[in-house]
Amino acid sequence: SLQLLQRFKAQHPDVPTKSGIMLGLGETMEQVQATLRDLRAHDVEMVTIGQYLQPSAHHHPVLRYWTPEEFAEVGRIGRELGFSHVAAGPMVRSSYHADQMAHAAGFAQ
């Protein structure tokens, strides 16, 4: 996936690249930071980071709920890594404020 995003960016340098991750499946802060570094190293510019919520009893359970303060820290780290837009919070989803991100990137009117 990382290589696909990087190849797309190389072919379309004016189109912003975006990815998203969900937390709560047993990852550590160090793993989240490594993932964010990997995304930036592959030219991803925007990221959404949200809390995984178990959609039904038949899906993987939530292993941990991240606190709002932890999401704020993850967002700060993302901005320090150079993402142009970071949305991080318990209720953030992949399309979270997509219109605002697109507008800020120059793709919406």
Side-chain angles (χ1 to χ4, degrees), residues 55-93:
S56 77
H58 303 290
H59 288 82
H60 196 286
V62 174
L63 298 181
R64 181 165 94 81
Y65 288 96
W66 287 61
T67 67
E69 294 79 18
E70 289 172 312
F71 276 106
E73 176 67 7
V74 169
R76 183 192 63 75
I77 291 166
R79 286 184 290 282
E80 283 183 0
L81 289 171
F83 285 97
S84 63
H85 302 286
V86 179
M91 299 306 292
V92 169
R93 297 296 174 258

Side-chain angles (χ1 to χ4, degrees), residues 27-38:
E27 65 288 319
T28 65
M29 179 64 87
E30 291 76 22
Q31 290 170 323
V32 173
Q33 290 175 8
T35 298
L36 293 174
R37 285 192 302 271
D38 286 346

Side-chain angles (χ1 to χ4, degrees), residues 10-32:
Q11 293 175 2
H12 307 281
D14 295 332
V15 177
T17 49
K18 177 183 169 213
S19 189
I21 59 175
M22 301 301 288
L23 307 182
L25 296 166
E27 65 288 319
T28 65
M29 179 64 87
E30 291 76 22
Q31 290 170 323
V32 173

Side-chain angles (χ1 to χ4, degrees), residues 4-17 45 107:
L4 175 65
L5 288 162
Q6 190 173 43
R7 282 195 311 263
F8 178 86
K9 186 64 178 177
Q11 293 175 2
H12 307 281
D14 295 332
V15 177
T17 49
E45 299 162 288
F107 281 91

